[in-house]
């Protein structure tokens, strides 16, 4: 019934399989991570496995700080301070401050620096390159969610797990495309894991945004778009027709644009609201975080038309609740067919489902695909959109 | 259908000021008359009979989309609307889209649906789902399942149509109040109302009462200069009887005649050239009314308290006493049980009147109205001529059960609340209210809400039932549409009762006892 989206399938397994001596790419000296065992990690059952091979402990477990790999003694996207964090991307519900060391994809580092602070110890692991952590071999693979967003592949004694983080299979010129990684166990997000979520063609949505902007510009009113400052905002900047008028960004968006540029991504020129004369402001497309809606910052754009850009705009109740003139459906998460296609492409027999509509996705995968599926608890429950947005508010908002 | 679905989306969802009106006008200018006729009918409340039950719609959508029913149900919980869930699910079905003119869709698909057998319904629906472009599915599913809501008032539709056709909105509204069958010819004739015709339909601007600040003793002229009557809790309306049939206009400028057929019929007895001001009330002695089926309930009467026009002569500049005397004479001559005179309250002192206030609730009034005997019927809220003397509000202690983000401010605070009381060991919602608390408490409550969400239904969050609030309200009315069987009129949050446990909140019986019918007294709506 559902067409399977095209997904780039990784032809080969990661390049290096045997090396336990992979050198860090940057950051120089990396101390022996094995010595950084927390008291919690010591309680982990890795050493207690007797010679009887049968019930192996799962490679990843949910602990009080989130997903933990005992074999490698690291957490994936921990929600509390830990010794070693492997971070999928810079959204506030995935990258939390306070851990002692972070490992992430190189193109995501400038954003992580912004989110985690000047003093955080960040280390880059290029996509596809293997790194030995404890007894586990770890590599990162593009998740297509935003620039530098990664899936985490973990291999231990021949068993392979992949943690998707947030991901999308749609194309996005501002980030590396999603890559399906073959694995035994796939941990997938499920933010939009219901069959009512099927994204309209991206080109159609962008054309609709352009048309709305053009109409507003012609009528002499600014077009204010509320979108998550990290990821969605940059995708919009790259996707709209910048010949219609100037592009204006809120300070929170500006910071992320700079981080993208620092990582080598070209984006169109953007302006601050304060630097444009009024006659140009009224022809502009303004991109601001959702928290700017109704804030004094908006007084700069009297009579503006407003829009919200998010996968949630697929639902009428949420469009009405947003109280904006337009709701455009553009998501950085997979929709239902995208999710099912991605799961199938990994070839995984076991699927852990997290972040979203876990119950329906687990049941569907078990009943329809005959997979061994289960739900993983998430700290940030409820609808990802709402939480993401609440956390977004923690990011700097005022213009510098 | 493409144009109508696009129009409906603008009307149904928030839009920039002026965009709704502009879209309506553009639609009526551009749409072919045979399509516009059906659009006009749907937008003014003439929805087609419910052809398919929502459950059947869901069942067939599950089959067509090859999804198990449990997954459709899980989807519906996220979407919080059945017709929309179905529209989103069937959009995934491979389709051969075609352009369906609205009138053909109605005549060939929607109307036959109602008369069809279950099997025919299924095949008609499935065929339509496969042919309609995805953007039109929601409007179609709403029309087919009888859940279509216009999202716009009849007045606004009339004004837009008048602008598009360069005709008169009042005349259009009046013609729309009569039964009509959608067709190109009917649409042309409806939209061609003249200014003269419109003038004959028009009501006068309402005279409004200002709240009584302080004590009545301070009112100029003393008691002798004032008239007192009950301030009824019903819906205020002007009853216009000119050459054409009687019309009822609400204070919001809407023509509401069709909702009160019995009153309209009784008003035929008025001489042409009469305009009354008064209140629509349900007089009813059979109690408790929550148990009386809707059809068996006595219908509504019109309680007149002012006469604005008689014999085609505008009386508004005459003093109240003179208008009132003429009104009494007029009503008495009619002997119509549905056209009554709002009685004056005789009192020798302000003190006597004050003593009446506690009775107001039982009489389905919210307090007293004081009107200066020499006052004219001026437009708006002329300072001092009419005063509202409100009775103390009723109160109830209720549990916070749901929250939704509110308007304004930073736009993301939870400030729309739904409250519930106990009934047979369960909490049933009885009132919705927004804000009402000091800003600091609203913020505190917002933070609490975020941490105590049990479940989400669209934008609505179900909460852990832990907090108790005191609500004020003006009256309790029976309602067949609410699960509790009643609804609170004008509820507002008075205070957060931090020391109350949820178990100490009120019971439904406490509210039922406050339905005026239950007390065996005058009742209204």
């Amino acid at each position: 019934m559902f067409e399977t989206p095209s997904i780039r399938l990784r032809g080969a397994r990661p390049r290096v399989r045997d090396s336990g001596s992979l050198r860090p790419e940057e950051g120089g000296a990396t101390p022996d991570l094995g010595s950084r065992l927390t008291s919690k990690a010591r309680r982990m059952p890795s050493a207690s496995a007797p010679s009887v091979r049968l019930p192996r402990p799962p490679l990843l477990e949910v602990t009080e700080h989130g997903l933990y790999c005992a074999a490698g003694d690291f957490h994936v996207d921990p929600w509390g301070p830990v010794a070693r964090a492997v971070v999928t991307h810079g959204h506030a519900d995935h990258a939390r401050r306070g851990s002692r060391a972070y490992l992430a994809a190189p193109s995501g580092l400038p954003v992580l620096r912004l989110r985690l602070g000047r003093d955080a110890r960040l280390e880059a692991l290029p996509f596809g390159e293997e790194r030995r952590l404890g007894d586990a071999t770890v590599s990162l693979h593009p998740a297509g969610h935003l620039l530098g967003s990664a899936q985490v592949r973990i291999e231990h004694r021949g068993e392979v797990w992949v943690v998707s983080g947030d991901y999308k299979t749609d194309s996005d010129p501002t980030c590396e495309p999603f890559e399906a990684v073959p694995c035994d166990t796939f941990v997938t997000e499920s933010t939009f894991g219901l069959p009512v979520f099927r994204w309209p063609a991206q080109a159609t949505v962008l054309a609709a945004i352009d048309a709305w902007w053009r109409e507003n510009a012609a009528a002499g009113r600014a077009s204010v778009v509320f979108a998550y400052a990290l990821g969605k905002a940059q995708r919009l900047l790259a996707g709209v027709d910048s010949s219609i008028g100037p592009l204006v960004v809120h300070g929170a968006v500006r910071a992320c644009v700079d981080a993208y540029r620092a990582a080598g991504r070209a984006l169109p020129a953007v302006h601050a609201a304060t630097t444009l004369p009024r006659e140009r402001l009224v022809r502009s497309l303004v991109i601001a975080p959702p928290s700017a809606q109704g804030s004094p910052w908006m007084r700069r754009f009297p009579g503006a038309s407003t829009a919200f850009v998010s996968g949630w705009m697929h639902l009428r109740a949420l469009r009405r609740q947003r109280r904006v003139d337009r709701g455009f459906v553009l998501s950085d998460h997979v929709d239902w067919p995208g999710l099912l296609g991605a799961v199938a492409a990994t070839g995984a027999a076991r699927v852990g489902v997290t972040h979203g509509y876990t119950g329906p996705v687990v049941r569907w995968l078990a009943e329809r695909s005959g997979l061994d599926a289960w739900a993983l608890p998430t700290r940030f429950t409820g609808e990802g959109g709402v939480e993401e947005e609440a956390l977004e508010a923690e990011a700097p908002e005022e213009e510098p | 259908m493409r144009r109508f679905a696009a129009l409906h989306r603008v009307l149904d969802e928030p839009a920039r000021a002026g965009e709704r009106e502009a879209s309506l006008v553009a639609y009526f200018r551009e749409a072919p008359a045979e399509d516009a006729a059906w659009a006009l009918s749907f937008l003014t409340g003439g929805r087609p009979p419910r052809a398919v039950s929502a459950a059947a719609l869901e069942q067939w959508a599950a089959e067509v989309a090859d999804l198990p029913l449990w997954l459709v149900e899980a989807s519906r919980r996220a979407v919080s609307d059945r017709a929309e869930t179905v529209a989103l699910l069937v959009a995934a079905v491979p389709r051969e889209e075609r352009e369906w003119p609205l009138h053909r869709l109605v005549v060939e698909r929607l109307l036959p649906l109602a008369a069809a057998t279950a099997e025919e319904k299924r095949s008609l629906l499935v065929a339509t789902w496969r042919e309609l472009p995805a953007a039109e599915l929601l409007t179609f599913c709403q029309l087919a399942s009888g859940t279509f809501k216009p999202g716009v008032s009849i007045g606004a539709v009339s004004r837009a149509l008048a602008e598009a056709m360069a005709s008169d909105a009042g005349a259009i509204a009046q013609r729309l109040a009569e039964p009509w069958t959608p067709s190109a010819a009917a649409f042309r004739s409806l939209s061609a109302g003249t200014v003269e015709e419109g003038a004959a339909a028009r009501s006068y601007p309402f005279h409004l009462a200002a709240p009584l600040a302080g004590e009545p003793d301070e009112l100029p002229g003393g008691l002798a200069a004032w008239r007192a009557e009950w301030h009824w809790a019903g819906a205020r309306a002007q009853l216009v009887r000119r050459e054409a049939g009687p019309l009822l206009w609400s204070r919001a400028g809407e023509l509401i005649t069709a909702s009160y057929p019995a009153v309209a019929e009784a008003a035929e007895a008025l001489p042409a050239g009469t305009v009354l001001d008064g209140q629509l009330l349900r007089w009813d002695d059979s109690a408790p009314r929550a148990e009386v089926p809707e059809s068996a309930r006595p219908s509504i009467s019109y309680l007149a308290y002012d006469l604005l026009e008689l014999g085609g002569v505008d009386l508004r500049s005459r003093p109240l006493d003179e208008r009132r005397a003429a009104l009494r004479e007029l009503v008495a001559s009619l002997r119509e049980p549905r056209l009554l005179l709002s009685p004056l309250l005789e009192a020798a002192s302000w003190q006597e009147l004050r003593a009446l206030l506690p009775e107001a609730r039982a009489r389905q009034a919210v307090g007293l109205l004081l009107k200066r005997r020499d006052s004219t019927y001026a437009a708006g809220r002329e300072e001092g001529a009419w005063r509202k003397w409100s009775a103390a509000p009723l109160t109830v202690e209720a549990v916070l059960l749901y929250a939704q983000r509110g308007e304004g401010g930073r736009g993301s605070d939870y400030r729309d609340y739904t409250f519930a009381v106990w009934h047979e060991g369960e909490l049933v919602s009885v009132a919705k209210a927004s804000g009402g608390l000091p800003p600091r408490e609203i913020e505190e409550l917002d933070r609490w809400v975020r941490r105590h969400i049990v479940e989400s239904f669209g934008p609505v969050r179900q909460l852990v039932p832990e907090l108790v609030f005191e609500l004020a309200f003006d009256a309790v009315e029976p309602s067949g549409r609410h699960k509790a069987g009643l609804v609170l009129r004008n509820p507002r949050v008075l205070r957060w009762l931090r020391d109350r446990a949820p178990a100490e909140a009120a019971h439904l019986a406490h509210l039922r006892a406050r339905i005026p019918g239950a007390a065996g007294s005058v009742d209204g709506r």
Side-chain angles (χ1 to χ4, degrees):
Chain A
M1 182 96 311
F2 300 110
E3 50 192 291
T4 311
S6 58
I7 292 170
R8 273 184 45 198
L9 187 66
R10 274 170 48 84
R13 298 207 142 200
R15 290 193 292 277
V16 199
R17 244 219 108 250
D18 56 344
S19 167
S21 60
L22 240 152
R23 286 188 317 278
E25 273 309 291
E26 68 172 54
T30 305
D32 171 18
L33 290 162
S35 69
R36 295 177 158 270
L37 281 178
T38 60
S39 58
K40 161 166 291 303
R42 288 206 175 87
R43 284 190 275 105
M44 289 297 142
S46 59
S48 67
S51 53
V52 190
R53 299 291 305 268
L54 264 178
R56 287 171 70 168
L59 207 42
L60 286 167
E61 288 172 280
V62 179
T63 65
E64 64 167 316
H65 290 317
L67 271 182
Y68 175 73
C69 174
D73 187 24
F74 63 89
H75 285 78
V76 178
D77 290 349
W79 52 60
V82 300
R84 166 53 95 177
V86 178
V87 178
T88 60
H89 66 282
H91 273 150
D93 51 342
H94 292 260
R96 312 292 292 168
R97 285 172 182 247
S99 289
R100 267 186 281 170
Y102 297 88
L103 193 62
S107 52
L109 287 195
V111 161
L112 281 176
R113 179 62 67 200
L114 193 68
R115 289 295 164 96
L116 298 175
R118 214 166 285 152
D119 303 328
R121 245 189 65 210
L122 310 181
E123 195 190 324
L125 177 60
F127 283 126
E129 203 169 294
E130 294 201 336
R131 162 71 59 90
R132 193 84 181 160
L133 292 179
D135 290 335
T137 307
V138 173
S139 57
L140 302 179
H141 306 272
H145 181 57
L146 47 85
L147 182 60
S149 68
Q151 307 175 74
V152 183
R153 180 184 186 277
I154 304 157
E155 182 167 351
H156 177 62
R157 294 186 192 160
E159 184 184 1
V160 178
W161 284 48
V162 170
V163 180
S164 73
D166 290 343
Y167 67 105
K168 71 168 173 289
T169 50
D170 248 2
S171 74
D172 178 348
T174 61
C175 70
E176 305 87 355
F178 175 84
E179 205 176 273
V181 183
C183 55
D184 303 305
T185 303
F186 184 48
V187 177
T188 180
E189 63 131 322
S190 59
T191 309
F192 292 107
L194 284 174
V196 283
F197 295 110
R198 289 176 66 93
W199 304 144
Q202 186 179 178
T204 313
V205 177
L206 289 171
I209 295 175
D210 284 342
W212 165 75
W213 180 15
R214 204 171 278 124
E215 187 190 323
N216 288 333
R221 53 177 177 258
S223 308
V224 180
V225 172
F226 300 111
Y228 302 134
L230 169 58
K232 187 68 53 59
Q234 290 72 32
R235 189 179 175 196
L236 276 173
L237 285 170
V240 296
D241 177 1
S242 56
S243 71
I244 298 171
L247 291 164
V248 170
V249 296
H250 184 276
V253 174
R254 177 60 186 244
C256 296
V257 167
D258 290 344
Y260 266 52
R261 287 184 176 145
R265 285 282 151 165
L267 288 171
V270 294
H271 306 270
T274 44
T275 59
L276 279 190
R278 205 193 153 273
E279 66 273 17
R280 297 204 59 205
L281 218 47
V282 297
R283 295 193 54 85
S284 64
L285 183 75
V286 183
I287 301 180
S291 52
Q293 189 178 5
S295 75
W297 190 80
M298 284 294 295
R299 289 191 203 129
R300 295 182 169 95
F301 316 103
S305 184
T306 54
F308 194 77
V309 181
S310 160
W312 295 107
M313 293 300 102
H314 199 49
L315 301 185
R316 170 179 173 268
L318 295 170
R319 289 195 297 272
R320 287 165 59 101
Q321 184 207 337
R322 267 287 149 197
R323 298 191 169 95
V324 288
D325 303 337
R326 292 284 187 287
F328 295 113
V329 183
L330 193 68
S331 178
D332 289 326
H333 295 268
V334 270
D335 60 359
W336 175 257
L339 171 61
L340 300 184
V343 167
T346 63
R350 306 190 69 228
V351 180
V353 184
T354 181
H355 270 293
Y357 294 105
T358 51
V361 174
V362 165
R363 187 167 168 191
W364 174 272
L365 291 176
E367 287 184 5
R368 283 289 173 114
S369 313
L371 298 176
D372 180 5
W374 81 103
L376 270 103
T378 324
R379 181 178 164 205
F380 302 102
T381 50
E383 329 95 300
V386 172
E387 288 301 339
E388 213 170 287
E389 176 198 323
L391 290 159
E392 196 75 34
E394 295 173 11
E397 272 170 33
E398 293 314 312
E399 283 188 302
Chain B
M1 181 64 173
R2 180 177 48 79
R3 239 188 297 237
F4 180 62
L7 170 68
H8 185 231
R9 179 156 170 171
V10 173
L11 298 176
D12 182 51
E13 294 180 11
R16 189 170 40 76
E19 194 172 5
R20 268 165 220 285
E21 294 74 8
S23 302
L24 270 169
V25 172
Y27 177 84
F28 286 127
R29 277 202 184 123
E30 292 160 15
E34 61 266 32
D35 290 339
W38 285 105
L40 182 61
S41 168
F42 295 150
L43 292 177
T44 52
R47 67 183 173 205
R50 195 179 75 160
V52 189
S53 75
L57 207 63
E58 220 169 69
Q59 170 76 40
W60 294 331
E63 291 169 19
V64 165
D66 186 24
L67 295 170
L69 216 45
W70 65 261
L71 188 51
V72 175
E73 277 159 18
S75 297
R76 188 217 306 149
R77 290 169 79 81
V79 175
S80 74
D81 180 85
R82 259 188 162 130
E84 188 187 2
T85 307
V86 166
L88 291 173
L89 291 178
V90 300
V93 175
R95 52 209 321 104
E96 288 167 41
E97 295 181 3
R98 51 176 283 203
E99 183 96 0
W100 268 101
L102 179 60
H103 75 281
R104 287 195 44 213
L105 185 71
V106 173
V107 173
E108 294 171 31
R109 294 290 164 83
L110 270 176
L111 297 182
L113 261 182
T117 65
E119 202 35 51
E120 289 166 352
K121 278 183 211 269
R122 186 184 187 282
S123 60
L124 268 174
L125 271 175
V126 173
T128 313
W129 285 341
R130 287 184 192 282
E131 288 169 7
L132 277 185
E136 299 164 28
L137 284 170
L138 176 58
T139 305
F140 172 73
C141 289
Q142 288 172 336
L143 285 169
S145 60
T147 56
F148 178 89
K149 292 199 181 90
V152 63
S153 69
I154 295 178
V157 174
S158 310
R159 285 190 292 277
L161 185 55
E163 190 180 333
M165 300 296 166
S167 55
D168 187 83
I172 290 173
Q174 188 180 2
R175 291 178 182 196
L176 280 172
E178 305 285 326
W180 61 287
T181 310
S183 71
F187 176 74
R188 289 196 192 95
S189 123
L190 264 170
S191 48
T194 61
V195 174
E196 295 72 39
E197 192 185 343
R202 229 156 269 149
S203 59
Y204 292 105
F206 282 82
H207 181 85
L208 306 179
L212 177 67
E215 290 301 314
D217 317 61
E218 296 157 18
L219 288 176
L223 182 59
W226 295 80
R227 295 279 198 197
E229 58 187 289
W230 291 113
H231 182 194
W232 303 107
R236 188 165 177 196
Q238 281 186 24
L239 180 47
V240 176
R241 169 81 166 105
R242 293 206 181 92
E243 289 309 325
L247 300 171
L248 279 164
W249 290 93
S250 78
R251 234 189 76 182
E254 292 295 329
L255 205 47
I256 51 173
T257 323
S259 309
Y260 304 92
V263 171
E265 202 187 317
E268 297 277 2
L270 288 167
T274 308
V275 178
L276 306 178
D277 187 9
Q279 210 89 359
L280 288 154
L281 284 175
R282 185 177 274 149
W283 292 88
D284 176 13
D285 299 323
S286 62
R289 284 209 330 228
E291 290 155 22
V292 183
E294 186 84 42
S295 55
R297 281 184 212 160
S299 48
I300 290 149
S301 298
Y302 186 81
L303 236 64
Y305 45 62
D306 215 325
L307 180 62
L308 313 186
E309 185 180 311
L310 186 63
V313 179
D314 183 350
L315 303 179
R316 291 177 300 155
S317 54
R318 305 280 177 75
L320 174 68
D321 267 357
E322 196 181 321
R323 300 199 308 271
R324 173 90 203 180
L327 174 67
R328 192 174 55 226
E329 204 173 307
L330 173 68
V331 173
S333 71
L334 292 176
R335 297 173 187 280
E336 273 288 344
R338 302 215 182 281
L339 283 184
L340 303 164
L341 185 68
S342 172
L344 290 178
L345 298 170
E346 299 302 333
S349 68
W350 291 119
Q351 199 49 45
E352 268 183 45
L353 279 177
R354 189 193 314 275
L356 286 174
L357 272 178
E359 284 179 36
R361 304 289 164 198
R363 295 178 178 274
Q364 198 63 0
V366 294
L368 298 174
L369 265 185
L370 307 176
K371 298 176 178 175
R372 233 177 42 222
R373 299 175 63 156
D374 61 355
S375 62
T376 60
Y377 192 95
R381 206 179 299 268
E382 194 214 332
E383 216 38 60
W386 289 16
R387 296 298 185 99
K388 292 186 276 199
W389 192 1
S390 296
L394 296 165
T395 63
V396 64
E397 296 182 4
V399 180
L400 176 63
L401 194 56
Y402 301 100
Q404 195 174 342
R405 283 151 192 263
E407 202 166 356
R410 284 169 66 89
S412 65
D413 279 2
Y414 286 96
R415 54 168 66 221
D416 293 346
Y417 317 117
T418 301
F419 297 94
V421 295
W422 294 103
H423 181 54
E424 294 172 354
E426 282 182 26
L427 285 167
V428 287
S429 338
V430 290
K432 276 186 179 177
S434 293
L437 296 164
R440 264 168 67 196
E441 285 203 332
I442 289 183
E443 278 172 33
E444 184 184 349
L445 189 53
D446 175 67
R447 284 195 299 276
W448 182 90
V449 164
R450 286 167 195 272
R451 291 195 312 271
H452 293 81
I453 294 170
V454 176
E455 210 173 332
S456 300
F457 307 95
V460 180
R461 305 286 173 268
Q462 186 182 341
L463 307 172
V464 182
E466 237 172 50
L467 304 186
V468 181
F469 292 80
E470 185 178 22
L471 310 182
F473 55 95
D474 288 345
V476 190
E477 296 168 4
S479 162
R481 289 188 300 115
H482 295 80
K483 200 175 155 194
L486 52 80
V487 60
L488 303 188
R489 193 178 169 82
N490 189 22
R492 58 256 184 212
V493 183
L494 273 189
R495 63 185 66 85
W496 186 343
L497 302 171
R498 293 168 188 269
D499 55 343
R500 290 289 196 291
E504 296 173 76
H507 287 256
L508 191 59
H510 166 88
L511 291 173
R512 279 204 183 135
R514 274 153 188 78
I515 295 176
S521 55
V522 177
D523 188 19
R525 73 186 283 284

